[in-house]
Amino acid sequence: MYFISSAYQNIYPDNKRSLFKNLLETPISGDNLCIKIDSVHLQKKIDVVDNEIIFISYTDPSNDTLENHRAKGLIGKFALFEYSISHHVRSCVVCIKFLPTYYPIKEFARTFNLFAKEYLENRVLLTTAHDSDARLALIVKSKCDVIASFSYLKILGFAPSTFVTYTKKIEDHVKFKNHAYMLDPKKKYYFKLIRSGVKYARNRYNKSFYTPQIIKIYCDQVSYSIESSKAKKLVAVLPGFEDNNCQKYDYYPTNPVKIKLNGSYLNSFKFKIADEQGKQLKFSTGFATYINASLVTTENTSKMNEEILTMISSDQLSKKIYTNNENNCFTIHLPKTLFKGPYRKWFMSVLNISLPSISPNIYNGENTITVTEIDDVIEEDANNVDTTEKNKKRKKNQNPNPYTVTIVPANYKTIDSLLAQFSRPIQKKTKIVVGVESVGLVSFVNESQRLKKISMHPNLALTLGLINQLPPEKMDVMDLTLKPKESYIASYEPDLKITENLYCKLLCNELVQSYFGDKNEEILKFLPLRNSSQQKSFFQEFHQKTKVEINSSSLSSLSFKLTRENANELIQFENKEVPTHMTLLIEREN
């Protein structure tokens, strides 16, 4: 057993909390040995700001300020910032580069304001507008403009969409010293212009902006493992953390993977700790990182009867080949072709998976309501007119241009927030009033002089309480007909959780089919889901491996789909930017 720590810096003074090396007291040979990570211990303290840059330009600087700047030079450091200053005839431009560190909110605002007092004539200030709620206000005084990066605004809690994308004119104005490259035209969408006024943050100061979705541990002394479309030295995948709260992180993997050492003479172990994209984590100053690793002997290592694969849906090389890759349906091009070899069977199992945490309860494809106007000109006389003939005449008299309103797919928490998506446009266009009665039931009132037909997907009708179960037969649409001045009150209370997805199926194209209900499907795992707006993603580790036989003799790529539990449609996630990540185990058996 080996405890590797970033604290031992006598021999390796450059050790960092996320990149460190320890010398072994007794050198070993890696032949027939595998390493596995038994536990990881670190402090949840990530740099809040990571080399963010803003530009501030203001006109009519005072003479005293200009002389002060000339005396101190155009480039320098101030506390937690680096700065560069450029002078024009009647204007001054300052570039501020925030050094990577952990910024508590009050310290962040205080340091920035000290800089503003000395170098910006207090033209730009930060205040804690709602101190208890950790929200900031940005004060930009007249004759002053601020150009900020998207990530900087998000860290401060502002919505970047409220500001203006910078223009070529601003770019020409802000060219000086070593920071001109930051305003490359190819990068213009990474900056926003903030004009004078007081800007209040919508969200809290986001000190958790750079926290990892998952944590990856790499070891230089292993042979290799497959990480999507590349061969890497990944030895462990662990859940990330949402809160950058400086508390301790202790994790003990349920199924620690075993990775073969490279077989050479080993006198040290070097580890790197990274995020889901493989980028090294930038920990702020804190207590040391500790990794508890053990070396185990392995049999048949020369035949490679086991392989570890980690798949991430956002893999860039695979995205170039398979341009339609999304987090619910993606294909990964493997860095090398895997073969079953001389073994009789080989199997795939999932050791862990990280998924986006929120799926909608109103789905795309089930999110439209159509209102059709029908001329009520047919007399109900069954003795004179055949029923089929009546229906044909009524169909001819339908409005050829029905009105359709589309509801934004999302996870709605209240019935009022859902009705707000379609009630007003439907009332304005069709004179059908949609509301909630005092008893909590949804109602539809036809205030027009025409017969109206309302059509929607059965799942949407289920959510609104119009029905209490799905039709036994496959039905794509549910109709509700309202006569003039007629009202309809739902029979059941609306239930926004009834269509939430509690489970999903993970399918892989290279597997032997398994029974699921009355169908055969290539199911790798049946997964529980979680709907939590507090987290971007959630991590699952499986105590028991479910081995599924692979249905081919070789693998050069793998395709995965996440589908709804009782349907073939893809599961939908609210956040399409959060990738799906999983660790797979390939086992060969005689």
Side-chain angles (χ1 to χ4, degrees):
M1 185 175 293
Y2 296 85
F3 287 95
I4 296 94
S5 169
S6 64
Y8 293 100
Q9 297 182 330
N10 294 331
I11 301 177
Y12 303 108
D14 295 332
N15 274 0
K16 297 180 173 59
R17 291 178 55 207
S18 58
L19 183 65
F20 50 92
K21 188 175 182 180
N22 281 184
L23 190 68
L24 296 179
E25 184 176 358
T26 303
I28 62 174
S29 172
D31 292 331
N32 297 326
L33 283 179
C34 286
I35 188 172
K36 66 183 181 75
I37 305 300
D38 297 313
S39 65
V40 177
H41 312 272
L42 51 87
Q43 185 178 13
K44 297 188 288 187
K45 191 176 182 184
I46 302 288
D47 289 343
V48 177
V49 178
D50 182 17
N51 289 325
E52 306 302 336
I53 289 183
I54 65 172
F55 295 91
I56 299 173
S57 63
Y58 57 94
T59 57
D60 299 329
S62 67
N63 292 329
D64 292 340
T65 303
L66 284 172
E67 292 300 326
N68 188 31
H69 289 169
R70 289 194 181 98
K72 294 192 174 184
L74 297 179
I75 298 177
K77 287 188 176 181
F78 179 91
L80 304 175
F81 313 134
E82 291 180 351
Y83 66 87
S84 178
I85 300 173
S86 174
H87 298 292
H88 301 273
V89 178
R90 293 188 57 190
S91 64
C92 185
V93 181
V94 179
C95 174
I96 303 172
K97 180 179 180 181
F98 300 94
L99 301 177
T101 187
Y102 181 90
Y103 289 81
I105 179 173
K106 290 183 179 179
E107 178 65 15
F108 185 86
R110 186 187 71 83
T111 306
F112 184 88
N113 291 339
L114 286 175
F115 179 85
K117 180 180 180 181
E118 185 163 349
Y119 292 96
L120 303 177
E121 300 180 356
N122 287 326
R123 304 286 184 106
V124 181
L125 296 172
L126 280 173
T127 63
T128 50
H130 306 284
D131 196 17
S132 61
D133 203 22
R135 300 196 185 200
L136 290 168
L138 180 64
I139 303 172
V140 182
K141 297 188 177 179
S142 60
K143 299 182 180 180
C144 184
D145 289 335
V146 178
I147 305 172
S149 65
F150 272 56
S151 52
Y152 175 72
L153 295 175
K154 289 180 180 178
I155 290 170
L156 296 185
F158 295 98
S161 59
T162 59
F163 305 123
V164 182
T165 303
Y166 90 95
T167 63
K168 183 71 176 177
K169 182 178 179 181
I170 300 172
E171 177 192 334
D172 293 337
H173 183 62
V174 190
K175 279 187 176 179
F176 63 96
K177 216 55 180 170
N178 296 323
H179 299 288
Y181 74 95
M182 293 302 300
L183 288 178
D184 188 292
K186 295 180 180 179
K187 298 182 179 181
K188 66 178 182 179
Y189 297 109
Y190 293 102
F191 290 87
K192 288 287 185 178
L193 170 65
I194 308 170
R195 298 197 183 279
S196 60
V198 181
K199 315 293 181 181
Y200 294 98
R202 293 185 182 180
N203 305 307
R204 295 184 179 186
Y205 175 66
N206 189 2
K207 64 182 181 181
S208 301
F209 185 78
Y210 288 108
T211 53
Q213 175 186 333
I214 61 175
I215 293 174
K216 292 181 176 180
I217 299 179
Y218 296 86
C219 178
D220 278 6
Q221 283 64 45
V222 302
S223 54
Y224 79 95
S225 62
I226 292 177
E227 186 177 358
S228 292
S229 58
K230 296 179 181 179
K232 294 287 190 71
K233 296 180 178 290
L234 181 66
V235 295
V237 176
L238 313 173
F241 48 87
E242 296 292 327
D243 295 324
N244 199 8
N245 54 17
C246 302
Q247 297 179 5
K248 66 178 183 177
Y249 174 100
D250 299 310
Y251 195 77
Y252 301 84
T254 302
N255 288 314
V257 300
K258 295 180 291 183
I259 304 294
K260 187 178 180 299
L261 293 177
N262 59 17
S264 63
Y265 175 83
L266 302 178
N267 65 353
S268 64
F269 282 114
K270 183 178 181 180
F271 286 93
K272 183 179 82 168
I273 301 178
D275 62 9
E276 60 272 13
Q277 302 294 344
K279 294 173 60 178
Q280 181 184 338
L281 288 179
K282 295 189 176 181
F283 287 111
S284 293
T285 303
F287 67 69
T289 299
Y290 300 91
I291 294 177
N292 180 15
S294 57
L295 301 182
V296 296
T297 58
T298 179
E299 299 177 355
N300 299 323
T301 53
S302 60
K303 296 182 180 180
M304 292 299 294
N305 64 331
E306 287 188 4
E307 301 219 33
I308 301 296
L309 291 75
T310 59
M311 305 283 105
I312 185 168
S313 60
S314 60
D315 178 63
Q316 294 302 309
L317 180 58
S318 297
K319 181 73 172 178
K320 292 178 181 179
I321 303 172
Y322 308 101
T323 56
N324 294 325
N325 275 3
E326 300 289 347
N327 57 4
N328 59 357
C329 181
F330 55 95
T331 300
I332 300 298
H333 179 73
L334 300 179
K336 73 168 191 172
T337 301
L338 304 180
F339 296 97
K340 182 168 65 173
Y343 295 90
R344 187 171 60 90
K345 291 183 178 180
W346 58 339
F347 302 88
M348 182 185 297
S349 55
V350 185
L351 301 181
N352 56 61
I353 190 167
S354 175
L355 295 170
S357 62
I358 306 177
S359 62
N361 49 15
I362 300 298
Y363 251 59
N364 189 23
E366 303 174 359
N367 58 332
T368 59
I369 298 178
T370 302
V371 180
T372 307
E373 183 177 289
I374 305 173
D375 291 333
D376 197 14
V377 296
I378 301 176
E379 296 293 333
E380 299 291 338
D381 187 354
N383 295 325
N384 298 326
V385 184
D386 180 75
T387 304
T388 304
E389 189 65 26
K390 280 202 316 178
N391 290 337
K392 288 181 180 179
K393 290 182 179 180
R394 181 167 297 222
K395 187 174 182 179
K396 289 181 180 179
N397 286 303
Q398 288 183 1
N399 188 340
N401 296 313
Y403 175 71
T404 299
V405 61
T406 301
I407 304 169
V408 177
N411 192 282
Y412 294 93
K413 301 300 183 184
T414 64
I415 188 61
D416 289 334
S417 62
L418 175 58
L419 295 184
Q421 288 284 314
F422 64 88
S423 59
R424 181 172 293 181
I426 282 183
Q427 181 178 357
K428 182 178 180 180
K429 294 290 185 179
T430 68
K431 295 186 178 180
I432 291 180
V433 180
V434 186
V436 179
E437 300 296 309
S438 58
V439 292
L441 303 177
V442 176
S443 64
F444 294 83
V445 181
N446 184 6
E447 294 187 342
S448 70
Q449 300 296 325
R450 299 285 186 179
L451 188 68
K452 300 290 179 69
K453 184 177 72 173
I454 306 171
S455 303
M456 67 185 74
H457 193 277
N459 277 339
L460 181 55
L462 195 67
T463 302
L464 295 176
L466 304 180
I467 54 177
N468 72 335
Q469 62 181 5
L470 293 174
E473 71 281 357
K474 182 175 176 61
M475 189 171 84
D476 295 330
V477 66
M478 194 216 77
D479 295 332
L480 173 65
T481 304
L482 290 178
K483 296 179 181 179
K485 303 301 181 181
E486 182 183 11
S487 63
Y488 176 86
I489 300 177
S491 302
Y492 311 97
E493 289 188 11
D495 188 350
L496 294 172
K497 292 186 177 181
I498 202 167
T499 53
E500 280 187 353
N501 294 284
L502 303 179
Y503 301 92
C504 73
K505 296 175 291 188
L506 173 61
L507 308 180
C508 179
N509 67 323
E510 297 287 355
L511 302 180
V512 172
Q513 291 189 340
S514 305
Y515 284 110
F516 189 90
D518 57 352
K519 295 180 296 184
N520 285 335
E521 295 184 281
E522 298 163 329
I523 297 180
L524 178 56
K525 194 75 174 177
F526 190 69
L527 302 170
L529 297 176
R530 180 184 301 167
N531 279 330
S532 171
S533 59
Q534 303 299 319
Q535 296 178 321
K536 294 180 182 178
S537 62
F538 73 103
F539 183 89
Q540 303 176 62
E541 242 185 332
F542 305 107
H543 295 269
Q544 187 173 4
K545 293 185 297 184
T546 303
K547 296 175 14 176
V548 184
E549 186 178 352
I550 299 173
N551 192 32
S552 63
S553 59
S554 64
L555 301 173
S556 59
S557 64
L558 290 171
S559 296
F560 300 94
K561 287 197 289 187
L562 290 159
T563 64
R564 298 170 72 173
E565 55 188 282
N566 286 317
N568 294 323
E569 293 90 354
L570 292 172
I571 197 80
Q572 294 176 17
F573 297 112
E574 279 201 353
N575 193 336
K576 298 184 181 297
E577 302 302 319
V578 176
T580 295
H581 192 288
M582 56 186 145
T583 304
L584 307 176
L585 173 64
I586 303 290
E587 297 175 283
R588 301 172 177 89
E589 296 180 3
N590 288 318

